Amino acid sequence: MFFALTATIIALVTYIFATVFGMVLMPSAVLLDNRNEEDKEFIALLSPILGTAVWLAAIISLGLIMGYTAPLLYTLFTIAFVFIYLKREKIFIPKAKFYWIFLIIITVVAFVSCCSIAPLEFDGKIYIGSSIYDHVKVALIDSIANFGLPPRNPWIADNGIPVNVVYYYGLHAFAAQLTILTGLSGYMADTSLVLGFSVFISTSTILALSLKLAQRTGLNKPQHKKFLFIAFCLMYFSARLSVYFDLLPQGIKSAFYPANLAMVGFWPLLINCMWTSQHYVAATFTVLIIYLYDLLLACNEKKSVKELTIFIGIIASAAIMTSIYAGAFPFVFLLVAFVFVYIRNSKFREDFNSKLPSVLWAVVIAFIIVFPYVLHIFIDLKEAPVAFGVQPTYGDSFRGGFLPLLKYILSFYFIVLPKHLGLFYVFGLGFVIVHIFNPKMRQEQDRLLLFGKLLAITTLIIIVFVHSTFYSNDFGWRTSEPTSLFLYAFSTLCLTKIFVSLYESKKKIVYALVVFITIIQAVALFYPKYDSAIIIHTNHPELRETFTKAVKGWERVREVTDKKDLVLSNPSAFGVLTGGSNTAGNCVDVFFSCYARRNTPVSIPIFSWCYSMDYDLDKLNARFDRVVKFFEGAPDQNQVNYIIDDLKVKAILVTPVDGLWKNEGKLLTRYKKVFSTADYKVFVAN
């Protein structure tokens, strides 16, 4: 618990810094859009994502050019603090009670989220949650701290040199600054600045968007804000409705939701933040860009136009660096929708044409900033990241003509997504549909609302027919994360309108409705069979104590190695602790990834290959087999020579679960045993 608490405090401090930094950077057009004193809470909620985007773009782009080191970061922090001091008159503390209630709630939520990947130690045994599967990228953070940018794959190396990472790494480079400046582990940096901090800023952005849309649709009275905050909390804690799906007749479930229709990743915000935070952070950048673009189209003051243009370009580069899927592809979808609006709406066409030079300049700015990053990511890419056709992972059971495709689409929109995403999808999409077909609501022609609706509609249509060439084919949920944020805001708006309507008509049923929705959410969230927020693995208790004691051996390894040395442990030793078998694709090497803080030449192949997919997988598999065999028994001289001469391993950590533990004879011909306890042995190359 202390680990999670420490991570939460670091995340909160970072959130406060991002808020202050965002406030002093805030474009004048945003301030003009929020003229009332009551709008300060909106600016306070929007500031963190603005400050984060600018900071992330700066440290990564400059880090790629100048070297991602402590001197650069100290210099940038000095500049930031001087700038904050010079612009200190723009800093304020919100007075609204709901802002402070929000901050308390989200701090608690961030702490609970951090517990999902923090090491929980009881009776001398470590237990870690399921979402550690995606958070073993803590090793990537340590690798960035050790080697700088561009990042090196912590799990693959050739001839002593770690291979390049071909994966979006913006948020992990952002987290690595904590490791570089303070020496804290990548594990702590990931828990605080990837998971904990992402919960803060994604939630803050949703509430800010909800407030802005409510204000622009006439919900700007004090009592409206109270109802909006209640609605926001109800939708924010949205859980998967799997428990209610079980109430459907078996015939309907079999017909529209076959057993092999996997939907990994289509989850509510909190669950996805606990697994893959980077996509939600990129999604918040995307939402911020859409809001600033809306202001750009309405702005006629030259200074404000220049400010917005620069910020849009910077934030776009940060979005791309954080997640190609959630930070770039949504704009392709939005552009498709813009074509239709451009043709049909003369006012939009006039505004767009007048600001086209600014849009092009924003693209140029983004390209200049992101060019070193994109060059590194895509220079060796062997295939396009997307393909067209019904998503294979989700569409196999519905192939064979129009009727099966129609059945798949009906299942996808009306059973699968409601079941997996929960009430925020139901209320959010319901709001979009009603807003389109209700003449009275259609009069609310706010452009930000229009952009959100267009993004939601085009994304949800296109992701049926576009998929990723990535081996898990999970293009859809990643790319739809900005849509999810808008649906959260739309569902909040929808529920607020219902509450206000019932309240103003003197129908006290509004309170019963709040209780009813709360019960639905609570049952969906806490029903044990479907709880997927925090699942702690307790399997293989016989390995837990050995694992926990052996972890301390990594401290000894770091004492006798340089940060750029390669180290090795048995990649097959403790993989079962995260589920499955040691060699299965759904396992990760938590023992090495979370605790070594060094790079290794080989780990679980299918996982390490995810981050360098241009690497020869057959070669990696063969290397893995040779290394596992080395640890399983008594290695001969050729095996020992392979480890030191071919893989260039400086230090080896051996644990009691390894066959090598009692058969170290030949190893001592090339390595010296420098530490030996009942829990681990450390060997260093002669």
Side-chain angles (χ1 to χ4, degrees):
M1 290 296 181
F2 179 76
F3 187 99
L5 180 61
T6 303
T8 304
I9 293 172
I10 294 172
L12 178 60
V13 171
T14 306
Y15 178 78
I16 293 170
F17 169 76
T19 300
V20 173
F21 190 49
M23 280 182 181
V24 299
L25 288 171
M26 193 64 68
S28 56
V30 177
L31 304 179
L32 290 173
D33 193 44
N34 299 273
R35 296 177 176 83
N36 300 322
E37 181 68 22
E38 303 89 48
D39 295 326
K40 282 190 173 181
E41 61 264 23
F42 167 78
I43 296 174
L45 290 167
L46 192 70
S47 295
I49 192 62
L50 176 64
T52 302
V54 173
W55 185 257
L56 186 148
I59 63 173
I60 295 179
S61 58
L62 292 176
L64 284 166
I65 297 171
M66 303 171 63
Y68 198 47
T69 60
L72 172 67
L73 291 172
Y74 280 126
T75 300
L76 291 176
F77 268 113
T78 301
I79 294 171
F81 282 122
V82 170
F83 184 75
I84 289 171
Y85 177 78
L86 294 175
K87 299 288 183 178
R88 61 190 181 279
E89 72 278 357
K90 297 180 72 173
I91 302 172
F92 62 89
I93 299 176
K95 297 178 181 179
K97 290 182 180 179
F98 89 87
Y99 176 82
W100 296 102
I101 295 172
F102 159 80
L103 204 57
I104 293 170
I105 291 174
I106 201 57
T107 301
V108 173
V109 172
F111 170 72
V112 174
S113 300
C114 288
C115 286
S116 69
I117 65 168
L120 305 176
E121 188 169 344
F122 299 100
D123 298 325
K125 299 176 182 178
I126 290 177
Y127 300 89
I128 303 175
S130 318
S131 50
I132 197 65
Y133 175 86
D134 265 323
H135 281 276
V136 292
K137 289 192 285 289
V138 301
L140 179 59
I141 295 173
D142 282 317
S143 183
I144 292 172
N146 291 338
F147 289 89
L149 294 177
R152 299 285 184 168
N153 192 320
W155 305 284
I156 310 177
D158 279 337
N159 298 316
I161 301 175
V163 304
N164 286 334
V165 169
V166 183
Y167 189 83
Y168 32 81
Y169 57 82
L171 190 58
H172 297 89
F174 177 85
Q177 64 184 314
L178 182 64
T179 299
I180 294 170
L181 293 176
T182 68
L184 288 172
S185 69
Y187 200 170
M188 177 60 77
D190 181 86
T191 308
S192 56
L193 296 190
V194 173
L195 175 51
F197 183 64
S198 70
V199 171
F200 274 100
I201 60 174
S202 59
T203 310
S204 182
T205 303
I206 295 173
L207 184 53
L209 180 62
S210 301
L211 282 170
K212 177 53 59 180
L213 290 174
Q215 180 191 60
R216 292 191 179 185
T217 54
L219 296 172
N220 48 16
K221 296 179 181 178
Q223 63 266 33
H224 293 169
K225 286 188 177 180
K226 294 178 182 178
F227 283 123
L228 183 138
F229 189 63
I230 293 172
F232 164 78
C233 289
L234 288 173
M235 293 297 98
Y236 177 73
F237 291 103
S238 185
R240 293 191 292 177
L241 301 178
S242 303
V243 57
Y244 301 104
F245 175 77
D246 270 358
L247 301 177
L248 293 175
Q250 186 59 42
I252 293 178
K253 288 191 289 186
S254 299
F256 289 95
Y257 197 87
N260 64 343
L261 191 58
M263 295 299 292
V264 172
F266 282 96
W267 298 326
L269 181 145
L270 281 179
I271 298 177
N272 253 337
C273 268
M274 291 179 190
W275 281 80
T276 52
S277 310
Q278 66 269 25
H279 300 300
Y280 261 112
V281 173
T284 58
F285 293 156
T286 300
V287 169
L288 178 59
I289 292 169
I290 292 173
Y291 170 63
L292 295 182
Y293 178 66
D294 165 62
L295 295 183
L296 177 66
L297 291 181
C299 187
N300 293 314
E301 206 275 321
K302 288 185 178 180
K303 180 182 177 182
S304 294
V305 169
K306 289 180 180 178
E307 280 183 337
L308 290 171
T309 301
I310 293 170
F311 275 112
I312 289 172
I314 293 172
I315 299 164
S317 69
I320 294 170
M321 291 175 182
T322 308
S323 168
I324 299 294
Y325 289 102
F329 285 111
F331 292 108
V332 177
F333 299 163
L334 202 54
L335 184 61
V336 172
F338 274 8
V339 171
F340 292 98
V341 179
Y342 185 88
I343 294 172
R344 295 188 59 185
N345 190 316
S346 59
K347 179 65 169 63
F348 177 80
R349 186 162 59 246
E350 181 182 338
D351 291 340
F352 181 84
N353 289 341
S354 66
K355 297 300 190 302
L356 183 58
S358 297
V359 173
L360 295 177
W361 273 114
V363 172
V364 170
I365 292 169
F367 179 80
I368 292 173
I369 296 173
V370 86
F371 178 74
Y373 170 91
V374 173
L375 181 66
H376 163 71
I377 291 290
F378 291 106
I379 191 168
D380 294 322
L381 196 63
K382 295 180 179 178
E383 62 178 344
V386 297
F388 298 93
V390 177
Q391 173 76 284
T393 300
Y394 311 141
D396 286 344
S397 300
F398 298 98
R399 297 186 184 280
F402 174 75
L403 288 179
L405 178 60
L406 179 61
K407 186 178 178 181
Y408 165 61
I409 291 174
L410 291 174
S411 168
F412 183 75
Y413 293 122
F414 297 106
I415 294 183
V416 173
L417 291 185
K419 174 190 176 219
H420 283 264
L421 296 179
L423 287 185
F424 86 90
Y425 170 82
V426 176
F427 279 97
L429 190 61
F431 176 84
V432 171
I433 294 172
V434 171
H435 212 276
I436 291 173
F437 293 102
N438 187 315
K440 184 179 178 181
M441 294 187 71
R442 254 202 330 266
Q443 293 175 5
E444 297 176 351
Q445 289 300 325
D446 178 72
R447 195 163 37 218
L448 180 60
L449 183 62
L450 173 65
F451 290 166
K453 289 190 299 180
L454 290 174
L455 181 65
I457 294 168
T458 52
T459 300
L460 291 174
I461 291 174
I462 291 176
I463 62 175
V464 174
F465 303 101
V466 181
H467 62 90
S468 172
T469 54
F470 195 64
Y471 79 96
S472 58
N473 286 322
D474 49 4
F475 176 87
W477 70 265
R478 299 175 185 220
T479 310
S480 62
E481 298 304 3
T483 291
S484 291
L485 297 189
F486 268 103
L487 288 179
Y488 272 108
F490 289 159
S491 63
T492 299
L493 204 58
C494 176
L495 208 54
T496 303
K497 286 180 177 288
I498 293 173
F499 289 162
V500 170
S501 177
L502 292 173
Y503 180 79
E504 292 180 349
S505 63
K506 308 299 181 182
K507 294 180 180 178
K508 302 302 182 183
I509 193 176
V510 61
Y511 303 108
L513 185 59
V514 170
V515 173
F516 178 68
I517 294 175
T518 302
I519 292 173
I520 290 177
Q521 298 283 36
V523 172
L525 187 63
F526 295 109
Y527 188 60
K529 184 178 179 181
Y530 299 108
D531 177 29
S532 58
I534 301 179
I535 299 177
I536 304 298
H537 281 296
T538 58
N539 60 336
H540 295 279
E542 73 282 358
L543 282 178
R544 297 284 169 182
E545 189 171 355
T546 302
F547 174 91
T548 305
K549 292 180 177 179
V551 158
K552 301 184 185 302
W554 287 116
E555 297 177 12
R556 302 300 187 188
V557 170
R558 290 193 293 274
E559 290 176 9
V560 295
T561 58
D562 182 75
K563 65 180 183 178
K564 293 189 178 182
D565 286 332
L566 296 182
V567 301
L568 189 65
S569 63
N570 186 353
S572 184
F574 298 104
V576 292
L577 298 183
T578 57
S581 64
N582 280 322
T583 56
N586 66 336
C587 284
V588 293
D589 187 1
V590 173
F591 180 66
F592 164 79
S593 298
C594 293
Y595 295 100
R597 302 185 65 184
R598 295 288 186 266
N599 285 43
T600 189
V602 63
S603 184
I604 303 292
I606 193 62
F607 185 85
S608 53
W609 181 70
C610 290
Y611 306 99
S612 300
M613 290 188 68
D614 56 332
Y615 195 83
D616 188 332
L617 183 57
D618 291 335
K619 178 181 177 181
L620 185 60
N621 283 324
R623 180 184 301 167
F624 175 80
D625 292 339
R626 291 187 69 173
V627 168
V628 169
K629 186 177 180 181
F630 168 80
F631 279 97
E632 282 180 345
D636 59 29
Q637 194 62 51
N638 288 334
Q639 289 175 305
V640 175
N641 292 342
Y642 172 73
I643 297 298
I644 192 169
D645 295 331
D646 291 63
L647 300 187
K648 312 293 185 185
V649 173
K650 176 68 174 180
I652 300 172
L653 178 61
V654 182
T655 71
V657 301
D658 301 325
L660 182 59
W661 180 262
K662 295 181 179 180
N663 297 281
E664 60 189 50
K666 293 294 183 182
L667 186 60
L668 296 175
T669 62
R670 304 293 303 274
Y671 286 87
K672 178 182 179 181
K673 183 162 57 177
V674 293
F675 294 105
S676 181
T677 72
D679 306 313
Y680 56 82
K681 297 177 182 179
V682 177
F683 299 85
V684 178
N686 292 328

